Amino acid sequence: MVLALRNGFMNRMRNGKSSWAWPIRIAGLVGFLVTVLLLTMYRPSVRLPSLPHKPDVEKSLKEPPTWPPKPLPYNHALEGHVENLREIERWQVPDGMEVIGIVFYGRRRFVKVLNCYLQRNLVEHGGVIDRYHFVVKTHDAEDLAYLDELLAANPTKYTAQYTTHDGFDYSEMWGFVERGNVYVKIDDDVLFIEDSTIRSIVKRKVEHPEYIMVSANLVVQFSFAWIHYHLGAIHPYLPEEPTTEEYVPTTSWRKSELPYWNGPEDFDFKNFTVPDHHRWLPIAPGTGGNEITPIADIKYMVGGSGWDDWMVGAQQHYSFLENLEKDELWRYAFDMWDVHYDRLSINLMAILGDDVVDMGSMPKDDEEFITMIYSKKTGKHVVADGHGLAVHHAYWVMGAHDGKKGMETTDILDRYRAYAEENICVH
């Protein structure tokens, strides 16, 4: 019965004999017109991608370079450190406070690499440093001429003062410091600075005035060599034996382009005849580990082989470049290290101007005074920020002295220069 009623209704609709037919048709037409009107007025919030177009090469050449040129890997890749990185990236210097870099200047061969990182860390390039003050400790004419070039190229961001004391007297280096600012002291032979490093150490120092200074997490630092070794950041390397081939400065920094070490089984690196411009080569897996390399004897101590053994330093450098290529800088990561009044290198560190002014006249050995004497006197500890990774080339005692050769016989500086040219410097 229901089916018969439905069929009768449909037939009347088709024949136009139902009283409901025209109202239904009109309602349908009105609905259609409303839909069209709504679609016409609607503007989607998500834009469709534009069609590919040819870039304006001439315009792009005239525009200033985009900073940073390339993003660097972070040592925060370890699980649990990612949020630390996000917090560091979001942090801003308090209003009214300047961050001033103090560059202890003397050797242009290192600063030609370092300057790329100095530029990268300026405020206008995404960093936190407002300007740099070069404290000059050299009489070399070529070193001074290169500094003049830097000052001329950066008239509003680079200033300099020229000291009169020679040797290991650093008493003049801090006289310009003023209250209210943060100072980041940088040695001229710092060859790598992770993107988050300076922001991280400045952040920790500002938020923790109870620390007298905050150091970066330095590769080639006498105490940290032991820490990095036990964190698994140091890999087995040995020096390549002398070759008759003429040396050509390397343009590669990558471990993957090095052959494996193939020296004799009775090789003794302690009695190794050091050739100039030599490489260090990785030991093939399964043929030996760190126990046959210089790092095996490292101790946690002030001084020791982490300070005076250039081979320990060279192994750290090649290991770092391997970790850098593999994007494994997380191997160096820790939160904070408190040295408890022990001496600590001040190759890259943050300190408040108020604390420096309160110290009064700085003695010759500023490092000993800040990290040991004044720290203990005030009860303010010296700490290292494990999230702020940087690389220091070498201590003076790792270089040539007393008729001995040292770190300068390797091609390490060439490798850091190659990395900076490829990833950091703007041309």
Side-chain angles (χ1 to χ4, degrees):
M1 180 177 179
V2 173
L3 183 59
L5 289 172
R6 182 187 69 82
N7 290 339
F9 175 80
M10 293 302 296
N11 288 333
R12 287 193 296 272
M13 286 285 293
R14 283 193 290 267
N15 296 329
K17 295 180 180 179
S18 172
S19 59
W20 296 344
W22 283 108
I24 291 176
R25 290 178 182 176
I26 292 172
L29 179 60
V30 171
F32 172 75
L33 292 174
V34 171
T35 302
V36 171
L37 180 62
L38 290 175
L39 289 174
T40 302
M41 296 176 61
Y42 176 67
R43 293 291 185 270
S45 59
V46 179
R47 294 181 179 271
L48 294 176
S50 58
L51 294 175
H53 64 279
K54 185 177 180 180
D56 189 340
V57 176
E58 183 177 353
K59 178 182 178 183
S60 65
L61 290 175
K62 294 179 181 177
E63 293 177 346
T66 301
W67 284 87
K70 292 184 180 180
L72 290 183
Y74 291 103
N75 71 346
H76 302 79
L78 192 64
E79 184 178 358
H81 287 233
V82 174
E83 184 52 37
N84 290 4
L85 172 59
R86 300 292 175 261
E87 182 182 346
I88 292 167
E89 289 177 331
R90 291 191 294 263
W91 186 81
Q92 298 296 318
V93 178
D95 291 340
M97 178 178 285
E98 265 197 307
V99 180
I100 302 168
I102 310 175
V103 182
F104 279 29
Y105 178 86
R107 298 164 290 184
R108 69 187 182 283
R109 66 184 184 278
F110 295 120
V111 178
K112 287 182 177 181
V113 177
L114 173 63
N115 185 54
C116 298
Y117 293 94
L118 299 183
Q119 288 288 317
R120 190 177 178 101
N121 280 280
L122 283 169
V123 169
E124 58 261 45
H125 297 156
V128 296
I129 292 187
D130 294 286
R131 54 191 173 91
Y132 293 100
H133 188 69
F134 289 73
V135 184
V136 184
K137 201 175 180 65
T138 181
H139 301 292
D140 183 272
E142 294 185 12
D143 289 334
L144 293 172
Y146 178 67
L147 177 59
D148 288 341
E149 292 178 17
L150 293 181
L151 296 174
N154 303 274
T156 63
K157 298 299 177 182
Y158 289 11
T159 56
Q161 73 177 66
Y162 299 83
T163 60
T164 58
H165 294 166
D166 294 326
F168 297 103
D169 185 344
Y170 299 100
S171 56
E172 290 181 280
M173 314 294 266
W174 298 91
F176 72 96
V177 171
E178 298 176 342
R179 294 185 183 275
N181 299 323
V182 183
Y183 292 85
V184 178
K185 188 259 189 181
I186 309 169
D187 278 353
D188 64 357
D189 64 340
V190 171
L191 297 178
F192 174 91
I193 303 174
E194 190 183 22
D195 274 349
S196 59
T197 293
I198 292 179
R199 187 182 295 270
S200 187
I201 64 174
V202 170
K203 175 181 182 293
R204 193 180 291 264
K205 182 67 195 83
V206 170
E207 293 180 347
H208 294 277
E210 69 271 21
Y211 305 141
I212 193 65
M213 60 159 261
V214 177
S215 168
N217 179 6
L218 285 160
V219 175
V220 187
Q221 198 280 346
F222 48 73
S223 299
F224 297 165
W226 180 88
I227 298 173
H228 296 158
Y229 177 40
H230 287 275
L231 287 173
I234 313 299
H235 306 296
Y237 280 81
L238 285 172
E240 186 177 27
E241 292 196 281
T243 175
T244 57
E245 296 180 8
E246 182 180 356
Y247 176 73
V248 178
T250 182
T251 58
S252 173
W253 55 274
R254 293 175 172 81
K255 176 261 183 183
S256 60
E257 298 177 12
L258 292 171
Y260 284 120
W261 185 82
N262 63 351
E265 291 184 5
D266 60 349
F267 178 79
D268 182 6
F269 62 82
K270 294 181 180 179
N271 296 305
F272 175 60
T273 301
V274 182
D276 289 333
H277 306 298
H278 71 278
R279 303 181 297 181
W280 281 58
L281 302 178
I283 298 175
T287 62
N290 274 323
E291 67 276 3
I292 62 171
T293 68
I295 199 68
D297 295 329
I298 196 70
K299 302 287 191 301
Y300 183 81
M301 61 185 300
V302 175
S305 61
W307 179 68
D308 63 6
D309 190 336
W310 69 268
M311 288 190 168
V312 171
Q315 187 176 353
Q316 291 179 76
H317 280 302
Y318 272 88
S319 295
F320 173 80
L321 291 170
E322 177 179 338
N323 293 327
L324 182 60
E325 182 183 6
K326 292 179 177 179
D327 198 11
E328 293 183 353
L329 297 188
W330 54 263
R331 291 183 178 275
Y332 298 93
F334 56 85
D335 181 42
M336 188 187 76
W337 193 269
D338 188 331
V339 300
H340 293 285
Y341 310 125
D342 279 342
R343 185 170 185 141
L344 188 70
S345 296
I346 55 174
N347 310 106
L348 176 54
M349 61 85 157
I351 192 167
L352 291 180
D354 293 59
D355 287 326
V356 175
V357 172
D358 289 342
M359 291 177 191
S361 298
M362 189 73 71
K364 293 181 179 181
D365 191 341
D366 56 348
E367 182 177 283
E368 178 188 51
F369 181 73
I370 293 172
T371 64
M372 300 178 69
I373 299 172
Y374 193 78
S375 173
K376 193 167 187 177
K377 177 183 176 181
T378 59
K380 292 186 172 184
H381 287 204
V382 170
V383 300
D385 187 333
H387 303 307
L389 191 63
V391 176
H392 167 230
H393 179 255
Y395 297 104
W396 71 268
V397 73
M398 289 180 170
H401 68 285
D402 299 333
K404 300 177 182 179
K405 293 184 177 180
M407 191 77 79
E408 73 279 356
T409 62
T410 71
D411 66 350
I412 285 169
L413 180 56
D414 291 335
R415 292 183 176 275
Y416 282 102
R417 184 185 299 112
Y419 178 83
E421 289 285 340
E422 179 182 321
N423 297 280
I424 310 299
C425 306
V426 173
H427 305 285

